[in-house]
Amino acid sequence: MKLSGLEALVIREDSNFINVGERTNVTGSRKFLRLIKEEKYEEALSVARDQVEGGAQVLDVNMDEGMIDGKASMIRFLNLIASEPDIAKIPIMIDSSKWDIIEAGLQRIQGKGIVNSISLKEGEAEFIRQASLIKKYGAATIVMAFDEVGQADTYERRIEICERAYNILVEQVKFSKEDIIFDPNIFPVATGMEEHQNNALDFFNATKWIKDNLPGAKVSGGVSNVSFSFRGNNTVREAMHSAFLYHGIQHGMDMGIVNPTMLEVYDDIPKDLLDLVEDVLLNRRDDATERLMEFAESVKGKKESTEKVLEWRNQEVFKRLSHALVKGITDFIEEDVEEARLKFQRPIQVIEGPLMDGMNIVGDLFGSGKMFLPQVVKSARVMKKAVAYLLPFIEAAKDEGSSAQGKILLATVKGDVHDIGKNIVGVVLGCNNYEIIDMGVMVPADKILAKAKEENVDVIGLSGLITPSLDEMIHVAKEMEKANFDIPLLIGGATTSRVHTAVKIEEHYSNDQVIHVLDASRSVTVVERLLGEKKDNYVSEIQTEYERIRSDHKKRQSEKRLISINAARDNKLKLSFNGSISEPSFLGTKVFDDIDLSEIRAYVDWTPFFQTWELAGRYPKILEDSVVGEQAKQLFDDAQKMLDQIITEKWLSAKAIIGIWPANAEGDDINLYENDQSTSIGRFHTLRQQTQKAGGASNLALADFIAPEGQNDYIGGFVVTSGLGIEEHIARFEADHDDYNSILLKALADRLAEALAEYMHEKVRKEIWAYDQNESLENEDLIKEKYKGIRPAPGYPACPDHTEKVKLFELLGAERIGVQLTESLAMYPSASVSGLYFAHPESKYFGLGKIQKDQVEDYAQRKNMSVEEVERWLGSSLAY
């Protein structure tokens, strides 16, 4: 199934469960209902944003309430969502029992959404009419197990209605099989009524029947219905939801509307409670309801005992090793490995036997969503320490190495110094018995290829964070083709995408498959398929998908309405600068040495920290999340302890350099002057949006925020770093086979660098430039960019050209604080941030979008560069 908002969501057979956010539903959220009733739509948007940031992959929007105009509210809310890219990026589920509201929603959503729902309750003719319109609008649909007689309340009725609806949709409406989602009705269990005892079991069995007999169809449902009998008892409800989802997914359930705050981690449900809950869900005992009711009363207000923490030490050694690997415990690993070694003839058998058995459990738990990335990295640390202990014995016995499933070469491409994501992928693949050859950062193509041949690797994986890395990946693909490589090429990193891989990279390497890997959790599945017996089928699927992506991309490009650069300049933003220009307290540059990290700490935005570890959710709410909350808390505690150590023991030093110069705009350029405002010392070149605007909106360029000649104005610049001194500590952790703390330190250094940029910007606004001396903002306000002025960075949406860093670094003398640019213009140390300061109160962040060749030629002339060189640096922004 393929859905989309501004971004595509492809649901395959091996996709994880799709979480549908339910809080933008007036029937399910009292807060959302109140905001809609009071017409506080901007606040209502924050509910939607929280759902997206909390990990929702589809957003359910429902306006069915007697006291509001459902159609008008749906239209207004969806129009507002369309103007918020961070919300509109995910598909919308239009949820209503009224067809006119559904159709109004279909006319306004971007991309391909889902209708929730249609059914046969009004007869076949109306069902066909509605389905035909949904098909016309290009949406998927949920079909309720409901017909002219009523809702299906038995297994037999569920499959009867679903089969009938499926046949009508496929044979008469010609509806795509993949766009059909059945909701076979989740009803409450443990109601005390005998006829309700099979409600959950009938849903599970109907789900399996649908998946086995109705090809392509998906299954969804409203999970919270199942626990209706236990309202007010969250302990039992959370366990019921988690257990229901677990069994539902095992039977083929693809997606569901569920409140993540009402979920317990399945493996963490106490055994006695889990047994009672599953007795009810699976109808295993006649007295299941009474037993669960009795238990529900007994658990109110009680907490689980933790007295037997080390009971696992009483198990036999192989089970102890497995427990240590799953739990990430290194305390006893050497003594346990030694005990295990004495039980085998050859030391390598400890690796091939109990250690790999334990890591297979880790891989299975991670793949099924029962373990999270930080836990997997800790498991890898245990494995590495165990192997390190065994290596001398293996060498002495002259054993052959353990046979790996495959050999993977990983490298961050030339010019790029970012490696956290690559390292995580290496850890996850290593946990699944792949041999990893990690070449580090800034690795040229010739060295990657030479090492790949020398080691006879099975797969090459490239990583990069900055946009020039995309071009370097293309170069590696071309070189692999020239050298007649015939192994898969994996592409990953923050700036990479399936679209870029399909459109820009795949065409240059035809001997095997190029595949974009979204994150570490997908890497194992991808590699397994590429090296497995069914590789040809998988490659064929990918090639078909990438061909569709190229076709869609070409179509979108042709549909985009772009205007000439001259027309865009005619529609520039015209600001008034009278009374809005503040004179800085100093001009020139200033260095800030040894900034106190304890002061910066308060400015850290923790949400991206958790995203680094692939834990979805917004801080601080993520710490209370019922799915990832426990792991998030543990990770956060580890981070705080290390941060304390970083500050106390001065592991890292933080430095900053800022500059403020007189400046004026000249067209799309910004001229900078000496302090006397007469001698030019250089210029920044900015790019202008060329997308045709509607509703009086302007085509923006950063130069619009600077006053033209004839008026005094200023611009600032900065480079900050918190990565100085990190290498020795990374080396220490790596020598101790401790990937977890190595990655943790790098992630914290990155967060401190961003926090330092925030800290210095506040200092500039309130003291140095002092254009907003009375500002009083909390850290949450800073994260939401509620301050006056902006600090855009070269290489980012408003200013995608990394070459602008060169002039900035020259003007500042950034080498004075130990920060340098690589040949691809990445900053080293990697925990560094740079950018420009604009003070005008109406300056704002924006995305450049796509630009045409007329602007590229103009820009090349202004920068005294060749068009080809400009195109190389701006490749991802070109509309041609």
Side-chain angles (χ1 to χ4, degrees):
M1 171 178 282
K2 300 178 178 69
L3 304 171
S4 69
L6 295 178
E7 298 176 2
L9 173 64
V10 180
I11 304 172
R12 303 183 180 88
E13 287 302 317
D14 61 344
S15 294
N16 289 332
F17 184 78
I18 302 300
N19 181 32
V20 181
E22 68 169 1
R23 309 311 291 168
T24 46
N25 183 327
V26 295
T27 66
S29 169
R30 283 180 292 179
K31 176 183 177 181
F32 186 71
L33 173 60
R34 175 180 59 79
L35 293 173
I36 296 299
K37 278 185 172 180
E38 296 174 2
E39 298 196 357
K40 295 180 178 178
Y41 282 85
E42 292 297 330
E43 288 185 52
L45 277 177
S46 69
V47 176
R49 188 173 288 104
D50 282 346
Q51 292 281 276
V52 177
E53 291 174 349
Q57 293 151 288
V58 177
L59 192 67
D60 180 84
V61 181
N62 181 299
M63 297 293 180
D64 287 2
E65 209 279 334
M67 298 304 294
I68 63 175
D69 183 337
K71 182 177 178 180
S73 298
M74 179 68 79
I75 291 170
R76 184 173 176 186
F77 191 64
L78 291 180
N79 285 342
L80 287 170
I81 283 179
S83 65
E84 299 287 338
D86 54 339
I87 303 173
K89 66 181 181 181
I90 70 171
I92 302 298
M93 179 180 286
I94 305 165
D95 185 352
S96 180
S97 59
K98 301 174 182 178
W99 177 253
D100 63 328
I101 296 179
I102 288 176
E103 190 163 16
L106 285 169
Q107 291 167 353
R108 283 158 180 85
I109 60 171
Q110 303 178 83
K112 180 179 180 181
I114 304 172
V115 167
N116 185 12
S117 61
I118 61 173
S119 74
L120 286 160
K121 67 180 178 180
E122 295 179 26
E124 288 191 9
E126 180 62 11
F127 180 69
I128 291 171
R129 185 185 77 84
Q130 293 178 356
S132 299
L133 284 168
I134 293 170
K135 178 186 174 186
K136 178 182 176 182
Y137 284 114
T141 189
I142 291 178
V143 180
M144 297 293 295
F146 201 131
D147 66 4
E148 300 90 338
V149 177
Q151 275 188 292
D153 55 1
T154 65
Y155 167 73
E156 291 76 17
R157 286 271 292 146
R158 284 176 168 92
I159 66 172
E160 172 199 341
I161 294 173
C162 291
E163 182 176 30
R164 178 185 169 202
Y166 181 86
N167 290 336
I168 292 170
L169 288 171
V170 173
E171 295 170 10
Q172 297 185 48
V173 184
K174 307 301 181 185
F175 209 91
S176 170
K177 298 174 182 178
E178 287 72 23
D179 288 344
I180 301 171
I181 307 165
F182 284 108
D183 184 340
N185 300 329
I186 299 176
F187 293 130
V189 292
T191 65
M193 299 175 67
E194 185 176 350
E195 59 266 33
H196 294 167
Q197 289 180 355
N198 267 339
N199 277 346
L201 190 58
D202 283 348
F203 178 91
F204 299 148
N205 290 333
T207 296
K208 185 176 189 307
W209 186 92
I210 290 167
K211 301 296 287 190
D212 289 344
N213 294 279
L214 306 181
K218 305 292 184 291
V219 177
S220 180
V223 176
S224 59
N225 291 347
V226 76
S227 66
F228 192 73
S229 301
F230 293 91
R231 296 187 310 278
N233 192 323
N234 286 353
T235 300
V236 174
R237 293 198 78 185
E238 290 168 11
M240 291 182 76
H241 296 169
S242 180
F244 184 93
L245 269 181
Y246 175 78
H247 289 285
I249 292 168
Q250 298 303 310
H251 284 77
M253 189 176 178
D254 301 281
M255 62 180 67
I257 301 175
V258 57
N259 182 357
T261 64
M262 289 293 289
L263 281 175
E264 174 63 282
V265 178
Y266 181 81
D267 281 357
D268 288 346
I269 302 171
K271 183 66 168 59
D272 52 353
L273 175 56
L274 181 60
D275 286 343
L276 292 169
V277 164
E278 292 185 331
D279 282 346
V280 168
L281 294 177
L282 304 176
N283 196 13
R284 296 191 298 207
R285 299 172 57 120
D286 291 338
D287 60 349
T289 295
E290 291 76 11
R291 283 160 48 85
L292 183 56
M293 290 284 190
E294 183 180 335
F295 185 90
E297 289 300 319
S298 71
V299 297
K300 286 183 178 178
K302 292 186 177 180
K303 292 187 177 180
E304 187 180 356
S305 171
T306 57
E307 293 176 0
K308 298 182 180 180
V309 174
L310 292 178
E311 187 175 326
W312 66 281
R313 297 299 302 157
N314 298 323
Q315 297 177 329
E316 59 92 14
V317 66
F318 295 165
K319 290 185 177 178
R320 295 202 304 271
L321 286 172
S322 179
H323 181 91
L325 286 163
V326 172
K327 297 297 183 182
I329 302 169
T330 59
D331 299 17
F332 313 97
I333 194 62
E334 290 191 0
E335 61 187 82
D336 286 351
V337 168
E338 173 61 15
E339 184 179 339
R341 184 181 70 84
L342 298 176
K343 292 180 179 291
F344 289 99
Q345 290 185 341
R346 298 180 301 132
I348 193 68
Q349 291 174 298
V350 182
I351 297 175
E352 295 174 329
L355 289 176
M356 282 315 306
D357 289 344
M359 291 312 291
N360 286 337
I361 294 172
V362 171
D364 291 342
L365 289 171
F366 182 54
S368 63
K370 295 178 182 177
M371 278 184 75
F372 301 102
L373 186 60
Q375 295 164 300
V376 173
V377 176
K378 286 182 178 179
S379 298
R381 174 174 61 181
V382 177
M383 183 68 170
K384 285 190 174 184
K385 286 182 177 292
V387 172
Y389 178 82
L390 287 168
L391 276 177
F393 297 101
I394 293 172
E395 290 294 326
K398 295 185 178 179
D399 274 321
E400 293 295 323
S402 176
S403 58
Q405 292 194 62
K407 192 181 287 188
I408 318 293
L409 184 149
L410 300 176
T412 299
V413 296
K414 184 178 75 169
D416 203 324
V417 296
H418 301 89
D419 67 348
I420 294 180
K422 170 182 65 66
N423 292 349
I424 289 174
V425 169
V427 168
V428 171
L429 287 170
C431 286
N432 285 269
N433 198 25
Y434 292 97
E435 182 181 344
I436 305 301
I437 300 167
D438 189 339
M439 295 189 69
V441 300
M442 295 200 296
V443 189
D446 58 340
K447 290 188 177 180
I448 291 173
L449 271 55
K451 189 69 173 177
K453 282 187 176 178
E454 176 189 336
E455 296 285 349
N456 192 27
V457 301
D458 299 294
V459 178
I460 293 175
L462 303 180
S463 176
L465 179 72
I466 59 175
T467 48
S469 298
L470 299 176
D471 290 325
E472 184 60 26
M473 291 173 179
I474 294 171
H475 174 61
V476 174
K478 289 178 179 178
E479 293 302 302
M480 288 178 69
E481 181 90 351
K482 287 180 187 175
N484 292 317
F485 273 80
D486 58 356
I487 59 175
L489 174 62
L490 306 184
I491 302 295
T495 57
T496 64
S497 68
R498 282 189 316 136
V499 175
H500 184 271
T501 302
V503 175
K504 299 285 189 178
I505 302 180
E506 189 188 35
E507 64 176 312
H508 298 296
Y509 182 57
S510 59
N511 297 340
D512 208 288
Q513 187 57 41
V514 182
I515 294 184
H516 178 253
V517 182
L518 181 63
D519 54 41
S521 64
R522 313 290 176 88
S523 59
V524 175
T525 303
V526 170
V527 172
E528 281 178 348
R529 289 183 162 194
L530 288 173
L531 301 184
E533 294 179 359
K534 297 182 179 179
K535 174 184 176 180
D536 291 345
N537 293 339
Y538 179 55
V539 168
S540 178
E541 289 175 12
I542 293 294
Q543 289 174 343
T544 300
E545 181 183 346
Y546 282 10
E547 182 57 41
R548 179 191 59 78
I549 289 171
R550 284 190 287 271
S551 175
D552 290 348
H553 176 76
K554 186 176 182 180
K555 183 179 178 182
R556 285 197 302 272
Q557 292 300 102
S558 64
E559 289 175 350
K560 284 183 178 175
R561 302 186 67 181
L562 300 177
I563 59 178
S564 70
I565 184 58
N566 290 331
R569 285 169 178 161
D570 289 340
N571 191 43
K572 66 176 289 185
L573 179 65
K574 298 177 177 66
L575 294 176
S576 170
F577 292 90
N578 294 328
S580 63
I581 298 172
S582 299
E583 188 171 338
S585 61
F586 94 103
L587 295 174
T589 62
K590 182 178 291 188
V591 171
F592 296 79
D593 274 319
D594 297 323
I595 300 169
D596 189 351
L597 289 175
S598 61
E599 200 170 345
I600 300 171
R601 184 178 197 162
Y603 293 80
V604 170
D605 177 5
W606 287 103
T607 297
F609 171 79
F610 292 107
Q611 292 168 350
T612 297
W613 293 92
E614 296 182 14
L615 295 178
R618 186 176 178 181
Y619 176 83
K621 290 182 181 179
I622 190 173
L623 302 180
E624 305 301 325
D625 186 274
S626 58
V627 178
V628 300
E630 182 178 344
Q631 182 54 47
K633 284 178 185 175
Q634 186 174 344
L635 178 64
F636 188 65
D637 288 343
D638 290 346
Q640 298 308 308
K641 289 175 186 175
M642 180 175 281
L643 197 46
D644 289 339
Q645 204 168 5
I646 288 170
I647 293 170
T648 303
E649 300 178 13
K650 300 186 182 301
W651 286 10
L652 305 175
S653 60
K655 296 184 178 183
I657 186 167
I658 67 165
I660 303 177
W661 307 276
N664 285 124
E666 181 185 343
D668 292 346
D669 290 345
I670 302 170
N671 284 323
L672 282 69
Y673 306 101
E674 290 282 8
N675 296 358
D676 60 7
Q677 301 188 19
S678 61
T679 306
S680 175
I681 58 173
R683 62 172 55 196
F684 292 120
H685 306 86
T686 76
L687 291 158
R688 186 170 297 281
Q689 297 172 324
Q690 284 189 265
T691 306
Q692 186 169 33
K693 301 290 184 175
S698 302
N699 291 82
L700 300 176
L702 288 173
D704 294 348
F705 305 135
I706 299 295
E709 291 183 2
Q711 299 182 64
N712 291 339
D713 203 357
Y714 308 89
I715 193 170
F718 69 94
V719 175
V720 303
T721 184
S722 61
L724 301 169
I726 195 172
E727 288 85 356
E728 64 176 284
H729 302 287
I730 296 298
R732 173 164 53 85
F733 287 131
E734 290 178 352
D736 196 32
H737 314 289
D738 192 348
D739 286 312
Y740 179 73
N741 279 313
S742 174
I743 293 169
L744 187 61
L745 176 55
K746 291 176 183 178
L748 285 172
D750 285 351
R751 286 297 90 217
L752 287 170
E754 295 289 349
L756 178 53
E758 197 75 83
Y759 168 82
M760 290 304 303
H761 194 193
E762 182 183 69
K763 201 173 187 68
V764 165
R765 294 191 304 270
K766 296 171 72 172
E767 301 171 24
I768 300 171
W769 198 332
Y771 60 81
D772 196 8
Q773 299 178 49
N774 298 321
E775 174 187 288
S776 180
L777 298 175
E778 299 295 329
N779 193 42
E780 187 67 20
D781 297 322
L782 298 178
I783 291 169
K784 292 179 178 178
E785 300 168 352
K786 291 187 176 181
Y787 45 74
K788 290 182 182 177
I790 57 174
R791 51 179 174 90
Y796 286 82
C799 179
D801 182 8
H802 283 269
T803 66
E804 288 297 295
K805 287 181 195 166
V806 175
K807 176 54 66 178
L808 176 63
F809 271 57
E810 287 176 358
L811 288 167
L812 289 170
E815 71 282 352
R816 289 184 284 168
I817 62 167
V819 183
Q820 301 173 341
L821 293 174
T822 71
E823 59 186 302
S824 292
L825 303 181
M827 289 174 285
Y828 185 82
S830 61
S832 303
V833 181
S834 63
L836 301 172
Y837 292 134
F838 292 81
H840 195 284
E842 292 186 52
S843 59
K844 60 183 179 180
Y845 296 104
F846 62 89
L848 176 67
K850 298 295 182 181
I851 60 174
Q852 300 200 91
K853 192 154 189 174
D854 59 349
Q855 181 167 194
V856 171
E857 292 171 344
D858 176 271
Y859 189 70
Q861 186 174 11
R862 284 154 49 202
K863 286 179 69 78
N864 195 27
M865 293 169 64
S866 69
V867 170
E868 292 72 23
E869 191 176 4
V870 169
E871 288 175 333
R872 183 170 71 85
W873 287 102
L874 294 177
S876 60
S877 298
L878 302 180
Y880 59 93

